[in-house]
Amino acid sequence: MNNNFTKYTVEQIYLRNYGSESFYKRSYCDDLIYTEGIRDFQISLNAFWIVDWYISHIKEIIKISKAVDDGFFVGTIKIKNNKTAIFEIFREGYITKNNKKEYNDHITVIKERLNDVDLPIFDYKFYLILSNIEPIQFTLMLTTEY
């Protein structure tokens, strides 16, 4: 990775992607496709492993999506100074608390800490959206592409 990337550089990658005409997928996973913006993000930051991280959790996302009848998830990566990162996927919806249904805008679905992450320090945000029901398929995109 080019270590000269700054927060400004990463923001520019987000801003230059605002829609997709083409979608991509890994040959070994039909459950997840990704947008031109994600492809550009991977190439620009040499971060192809990010899609693979989402793929490694896609079966769990599908299971939760079916259980709660929800097809919209938010993914974040928060990079710390020591090159550790907190990856999180969350959703919003109703939860039962004290025998009452309450709306919660941040229900953690997956949270994982990774070490030696080779991304510039930045808080990254992605959307993971149900795009096909039969067969089930999610689309990973930059927030600017939604």
Side-chain angles (χ1 to χ4, degrees), residues 76-80 84-88 106 122-124:
T76 60
I77 306 170
K78 295 185 179 185
I79 309 293
K80 306 297 180 194
T84 62
I86 304 297
F87 279 64
E88 183 176 20
H106 192 112
F122 189 74
D123 288 345
Y124 301 87

Side-chain angles (χ1 to χ4, degrees), residues 22-33:
S22 299
F23 295 92
Y24 304 88
K25 68 177 186 127
R26 299 288 202 264
S27 61
Y28 53 87
C29 180
D30 291 329
D31 299 333
L32 181 73
I33 59 174

Side-chain angles (χ1 to χ4, degrees), residues 6-46:
T6 64
K7 180 179 179 178
Y8 176 79
T9 307
V10 175
E11 286 173 344
Q12 293 309 302
I13 293 168
Y14 274 95
L15 294 175
R16 71 183 179 212
N17 291 285
Y18 50 87
S20 276
E21 292 182 12
S22 299
F23 295 92
Y24 304 88
K25 68 177 186 127
R26 299 288 202 264
S27 61
Y28 53 87
C29 180
D30 291 329
D31 299 333
L32 181 73
I33 59 174
Y34 54 94
T35 61
E36 291 175 32
I38 294 293
R39 184 172 184 271
D40 179 43
F41 180 87
Q42 292 179 106
I43 292 168
S44 298
L45 296 175
N46 194 23

Side-chain angles (χ1 to χ4, degrees), residues 23 29 32 37 41 70 88 92 95 115 117 127 129 137 141:
F23 295 92
C29 180
L32 181 73
F41 180 87
D70 192 0
E88 183 176 20
E92 56 185 58
I95 58 172
N115 295 316
V117 175
Y127 292 147
I129 299 169
Q137 191 174 58
M141 64 182 63

